[in-house]
Every structure is written in C-alpha cells, then in structure tokens.
C-alpha cells in the first residue's frame, strides 16, 4: 500500500513567548482513528533527507513516511510491517552494520520484541526477526553497545514482569540474541534509555517504574558480561512514565529527564559529577496534567538543551525553554492543547533547515472521545544558531548526537571537498578529502562534546554545522 500526499495548508501558526517568539506551522500527517504509539525519524533510505516510521497499535501495522523531493512536507506512505499484534514503542539504529538504520519494536499485543532489518527501501515489507517472546507487556526499547564489542545490543522493559533485560547481539546474519535479565523487581517498568552517565566509556541505563513511582539508574561496570549497580534517583515521582538522558546545563555530565503521570511533572535531575553519583531534582513543570513523555533537543537554537513533552491527561504538547543561564529556570510554551491522548514524541530537524521540528502522536487507549491526529509542527525560527550559507549549500548530518559514525550529506556526487572537524576552542581535530555526496566519518576516537564541521569545495564554497559526540 503506497500513498503520496502533499500538505500545503497551514493549520496553525503558534507563537507562545514574548522572549523566544518561535513560530510553528502545524500539519496533520495521519488520521484521528490511527492510534500512534511510537515515532522515530532517520534517513532510512539514505537519500539525504529524514524519514519517519510510526507504530499503529490498533491497526497492527508499522507505517513509513518517506520524505520526497516535493515541497515540504511531502511524504510517500507505505506499510513496512502488518499483521503484528500491538506495535507499541520503537527505536532505531544500525543493527547489522550495513549502514542502513533498522528498527526495534515492542509488541504489547503478543508480548514480543522484534527487530526489523532495513532492506534499503521504504516501499516494501521489511523482514522481521523475533528478539524476545513471553516478555510480558513490553514497553520501552533502546539500542546501545552494552558490552563494548562494537555490536549494537537491544534493551527492553516488560511492565507485567517488572523486568529490564538486554539482548546481546551475537552477530551473524540474521543477528542472534542472548538475553540477560538486569532486574526483575522494578514494578511496572516503562521507559528506558542508554548513555554514559559516569563518564567511564560504557553505556549505563535509566528507567522509570510506574507502580514504584521511581526513576533509577543501572551502572554498567564495563565488563564483557556486565554487572549492574542499581542507583535510585527518585522514589517519589508518582506514576513515573518516562526517563531519558541529556546534559541540561552543558557541564559535560549527563543529567536525567523524566515525566510522571500522577505527579503531573516534567523534571530533571542534575548530575553533580561526583563519585559516587549524586543528583539534585529541578522541576521543569509542576502542572503538566498526566505527563507521559519528555524528549530533549535544542529547540530555539541558543546552544543549550531544551525539552518537549506530551501531557496525556489534557491533550497538551509543549516545549520548555531552558533559561537556566538567564533566569535559573524553564519557560513553558504551549504548542497545542487539542491532541487528545498525546503520547509519543520525536524532536528532529525533519526539513533540514537547521532547527528542530516536533512530531507527536496520540492513543486514548480505551477511553471515550476523539483520538488526536499524528501531527508535525515545523519549527520556523528565523535564526539558525550556526553559520550555514543556505543560498550556496546545505549540510545534513545524522545521527546527531552521534557515537561512532557520522553521516554527512553535502554538495554533489564526484565533487571533491575537504571536511574539517574543529573543537569548541577552534582547534582543528581531523581533516578528510571526499568526493561523495554522502560521506561517512568515523568519530569514535573523539572525546565527548560539541564539535563543528567545515566543508570547503574546489570552488571555495564554505559551509558550517555542528554535532554532539556522545561518550
């Protein structure tokens, strides 16, 4: 099934703050009847622009939105998986080292976690491989190289089993997976994320537990068969639903963000950087009714990490401006209060104009009323925050933030260009010569931080962008 559609009408123009004055243009991408529970974005077909994949829980389908060359937003939609029971949460990464972004999905209707390996196209059914069965009421999924063997592993939560587990990628084709239970006592566990919170070079985990009202860490000891130390971050974050990592204050120490349904809160815990780890809770919003989801990106292009969230209780999507350096707090900007059942959220530069757009879906579950529609809010900020001469050229980079391999798309095929990487002090770190439109740069040896890319072609055309190196 394939459908190409062009969205040209402006549904809404939103400007919520006398300080930031960021307008968003709203586009409806789906239908109200579709219960969207998972959203990811990446360049799945390696054509130089970002695409979208969504989970439709009640239709038992996974649907792709291929970003076409028409006037933005223009997408070709296709079913890439069907007749699967209750696709729920989703994440993306290259699992089999073929340079194509694959996806991992939890199936709440059949208690499975599956991997779908990208065949290099968004207009066909993707092959499905079962990673886990009898993983009861699976929720959050994440991908990271847990044991440092340069193969991406899969992490998942099972709410009914109170379990967090990871499946070691054993290589081969298709990949084989070996399950390790990290805990089976995290009551009704929900969200999961991976990053290096103690700066020791390996991936740690953060997760939320709805019934335990808890946000907790599992610290990886870095061994080939990791041992895990549990660290309770908060045990009074009521009906904790989401948890993920991000450096809120730019001090080089990864902080923890969370959303709590009964507390009606979006909050983060600032990492002191001490050993042992210690955290200070900072409430971003204390009246975000039925908060389910929080994601972080720089939304206003001022160089620090902002947050976006979905409030299931009243259908609100909002972004929260990080003003820690200016006022010591966060400023809330309502994007919509009409996305009933607001849940999954993705913040990404979908149109390649150097500002982050917002995608959100909705699932009212079994509650009455009209379900919200899968929606894109295009960020139309006037300043880019980085010096890119868009009249001459445009750089697209992904993934960003990045761990090992950075894809850079710029210019034309067979056009020679120099790619230089600088640190924040302006020091030249690496320099490459490339004749490809899409260049792959290995950055695994770089230290964690923010870097700038300069691209200069044979005609002297120069452009810049930046990326964040994880770990």
């Amino acid at each position: 099934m394939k459908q190409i559609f062009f969205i040209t009408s402006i549904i809404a123009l939103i400007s919520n703050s006398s300080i930031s004055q960021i307008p968003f243009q709203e586009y409806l991408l789906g239908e109200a009847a579709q219960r969207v529970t998972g959203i990811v974005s990446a360049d799945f077909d390696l054509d130089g622009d970002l695409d979208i994949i969504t989970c439709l829980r009640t239709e038992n389908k996974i649907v792709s939105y291929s970003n076409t060359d028409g006037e933005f937003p223009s997408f070709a939609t296709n079913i890439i998986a069907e007749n699967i029971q209750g696709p729920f949460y989703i994440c993306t990464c290259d699992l089999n080292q073929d340079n194509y972004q694959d996806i991992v999905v939890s199936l709440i209707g059949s208690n499975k976690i599956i991997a779908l390996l990208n065949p290099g196209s968004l207009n066909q059914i993707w092959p499905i491989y079962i990673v886990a069965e009898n993983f009861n009421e699976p929720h959050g999924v994440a991908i990271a190289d847990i044991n440092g063997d340069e193969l991406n592993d899969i992490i998942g939560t099972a709410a009914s089993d109170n379990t967090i587990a990871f499946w070691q990628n054993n290589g081969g084709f298709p990949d084989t997976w070996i399950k390790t239970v990290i805990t089976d006592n995290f009551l009704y566990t929900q969200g999961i994320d991976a990053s290096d919170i103690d700066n020791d070079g390996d991936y740690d985990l953060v997760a939320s537990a709805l019934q335990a009202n808890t946000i907790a860490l599992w610290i990886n000891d870095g061994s080939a068969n990791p041992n895990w130390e549990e660290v309770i971050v908060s045990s009074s974050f009521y009906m904790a639903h989401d948890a993920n990592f991000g450096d809120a204050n730019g001090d080089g120490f990864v902080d923890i963000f969370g959303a709590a349904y009964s507390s009606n809160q979006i909050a983060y815990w600032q990492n002191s950087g001490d050993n042992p780890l210690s955290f200070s809770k900072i409430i971003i919003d204390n009246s975000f009714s039925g908060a389910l989801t929080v994601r972080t990106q720089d939304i206003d292009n001022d160089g620090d990490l902002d947050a976006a969230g979905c409030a299931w209780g009243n259908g609100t999507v909002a972004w929260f401006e990080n003003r820690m350096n200016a006022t010591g707090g966060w400023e809330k900007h309502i994007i919509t209060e009409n996305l009933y059942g607001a849940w999954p959220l993705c913040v990404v530069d979908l149109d390649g104009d150097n500002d982050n757009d917002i995608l959100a879906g909705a699932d009212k579950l079994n509650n009455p009323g009209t379900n919200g529609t899968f929606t894109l809010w295009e960020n139309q900020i006037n300043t880019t925050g980085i010096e890119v001469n868009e009249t001459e050229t445009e750089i697209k980079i992904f993934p960003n933030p990045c761990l090992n391999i950075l894809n850079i798309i710029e210019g034309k095929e067979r056009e020679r260009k120099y790619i230089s990487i600088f640190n924040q002090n302006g020091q030249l770190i690496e320099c490459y010569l490339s004749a490809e439109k899409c260049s792959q740069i290995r950055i695994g040896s770089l230290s964690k931080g923010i870097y700038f890319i300069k691209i200069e072609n044979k005609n002297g055309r120069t452009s810049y962008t930046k990326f964040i190196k994880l770990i």
Side-chain angles (χ1 to χ4, degrees):
M1 174 184 176
K2 181 176 181 180
Q3 177 185 7
I4 297 179
F5 58 94
F6 302 91
I7 309 169
T8 57
S9 59
I10 298 176
I11 309 299
L13 189 64
I14 305 161
S15 181
N16 296 302
S17 169
S18 59
I19 297 174
S20 64
Q21 289 295 331
I22 296 181
F24 287 88
Q25 194 164 317
E26 180 181 277
Y27 302 96
L28 305 183
L29 300 186
E31 300 174 1
Q34 295 175 330
R35 307 298 177 98
V36 176
T37 52
I39 307 169
V40 289
S41 179
D43 185 5
F44 290 103
D45 51 10
L46 293 185
D47 66 348
D49 47 38
L50 296 181
D51 312 297
I52 308 165
I53 293 180
T54 62
C55 294
L56 304 185
R57 180 181 63 85
T58 57
E59 295 185 29
N60 298 319
K61 297 175 183 176
I62 300 174
V63 174
S64 68
Y65 293 73
S66 178
N67 199 339
T68 70
D69 293 330
E71 182 179 351
F72 184 85
S74 173
F75 297 95
T77 63
N78 289 277
I79 296 170
I80 62 171
E82 56 187 341
N83 301 318
I84 54 176
Q85 294 177 283
F88 207 41
Y89 283 51
I90 185 171
C91 62
T92 183
C93 194
D94 180 9
L95 289 172
N96 56 352
Q97 298 182 314
D98 64 354
N99 296 322
Y100 284 101
Q101 295 280 314
D102 310 302
I103 60 174
V104 171
V105 178
S106 57
L107 302 182
I108 199 166
S110 58
N111 298 321
K112 296 177 182 177
I113 290 179
I114 59 173
L116 290 83
L117 298 187
N118 185 346
S121 171
L122 287 171
N123 59 9
Q124 66 184 84
I125 298 293
W126 287 19
I128 295 175
Y129 300 92
I130 296 174
V131 176
E133 297 183 276
N134 302 314
F135 197 59
N136 295 310
E137 209 173 341
H139 275 64
V141 286
I143 302 173
D145 180 9
I146 293 296
N147 58 348
D149 63 357
E150 298 186 355
L151 296 173
N152 283 315
D153 310 304
I154 294 172
I155 310 104
T157 66
S160 291
D161 292 340
N162 306 318
T163 293
I164 300 172
F166 86 93
W167 289 264
Q168 179 181 321
N169 184 343
N170 225 27
F173 186 83
D175 295 355
T176 56
W177 308 94
I178 300 173
K179 179 181 178 181
T180 299
V181 173
I182 297 171
T183 181
D184 59 4
N185 192 36
F186 202 47
L187 301 183
Y188 214 70
T189 180
Q190 303 278 300
I192 188 82
D193 195 16
S195 189
D196 183 10
I197 197 162
D198 53 0
N199 286 340
D200 65 350
D202 54 40
Y203 277 104
D204 310 301
L205 303 176
V206 66
S208 55
L210 198 78
Q211 290 182 2
N213 305 314
T214 296
I215 301 287
L217 290 166
W218 278 266
I219 305 301
N220 184 347
D221 71 352
S223 61
N225 296 298
N227 298 301
W228 301 89
E229 177 190 358
E230 182 179 357
V231 177
I232 301 298
V233 177
S234 174
S235 57
S236 57
F237 201 49
Y238 296 106
M239 294 187 74
H241 191 270
D242 198 13
N244 49 68
F245 290 112
D247 185 0
N249 57 348
D251 62 354
F253 298 112
V254 177
D255 307 309
I256 297 168
F257 287 77
Y261 183 85
S262 288
S263 290
N264 300 317
Q265 281 186 5
I266 301 290
Y268 86 95
W269 288 263
Q270 186 171 307
N271 181 354
S272 68
D274 296 333
N275 185 10
L277 293 168
S278 63
F279 299 89
S280 302
K281 182 180 179 181
I282 296 174
I283 296 173
I284 296 174
D285 189 355
N286 205 28
S287 59
F288 204 50
S289 178
L292 283 193
T293 312
V294 60
R295 295 291 181 267
T296 56
Q297 282 285 6
D298 183 2
I299 295 174
D300 54 4
N301 278 354
D302 64 351
D304 55 31
L305 206 62
D306 307 301
C310 284
W312 192 88
N314 60 8
T316 297
V317 178
W319 75 278
F320 304 90
E321 181 182 355
N322 184 345
R323 295 185 56 76
M324 296 295 291
N325 291 331
T327 65
W330 296 72
E331 185 168 352
K332 178 179 179 179
H333 306 283
I334 301 293
I335 296 174
T336 184
E337 296 176 299
N338 298 308
L339 191 72
Y340 302 112
W343 191 338
L345 185 66
C346 182
V347 184
V348 65
D349 182 9
L350 194 61
D351 53 357
D353 64 350
N354 296 305
D355 52 43
N356 283 302
D357 311 303
I358 295 175
L359 292 157
D363 185 355
K364 287 181 64 67
L365 300 175
N366 297 320
N367 292 275
T370 302
N371 199 78
T373 301
F374 178 39
T375 303
L376 160 68
W377 289 275
E378 181 192 359
N379 187 339
Q380 297 190 321
I381 191 170
N382 291 324
T383 58
T384 64
I386 53 176
E387 297 177 7
V388 178
N389 188 344
E390 295 180 355
T391 61
E392 294 183 347
T393 188
E394 183 178 0
I395 305 173
K396 295 180 181 179
I397 59 173
F398 64 92
N400 188 19
C402 183
L403 180 62
N404 291 313
I405 296 177
L406 184 69
N407 296 279
I408 304 173
I409 298 174
E410 192 273 346
K412 303 174 182 178
E413 295 288 356
R414 297 179 295 279
E415 180 183 71
R416 288 166 58 89
K417 51 184 169 284
Y418 288 96
I419 301 173
S420 303
I421 297 178
F422 298 85
N423 64 18
Q424 287 182 285
N425 296 322
Q427 296 171 318
L428 177 64
I429 304 299
E430 302 280 356
C431 188
Y432 307 88
L433 177 65
S434 175
E436 303 294 330
K437 180 176 181 180
C438 182
S439 306
Q440 286 197 335
I441 305 297
R442 294 189 176 274
I443 62 167
S445 62
L446 297 182
S447 301
K448 177 180 176 181
I450 298 174
Y451 293 86
F452 296 88
I453 296 174
K454 174 185 175 182
I455 297 181
E456 183 175 6
N457 75 356
K458 63 180 182 180
N459 297 320
R461 185 182 67 204
T462 303
S463 45
Y464 302 82
T465 189
K466 66 179 179 180
F467 68 92
I468 298 173
K469 170 65 166 62
L470 298 171
I471 301 182

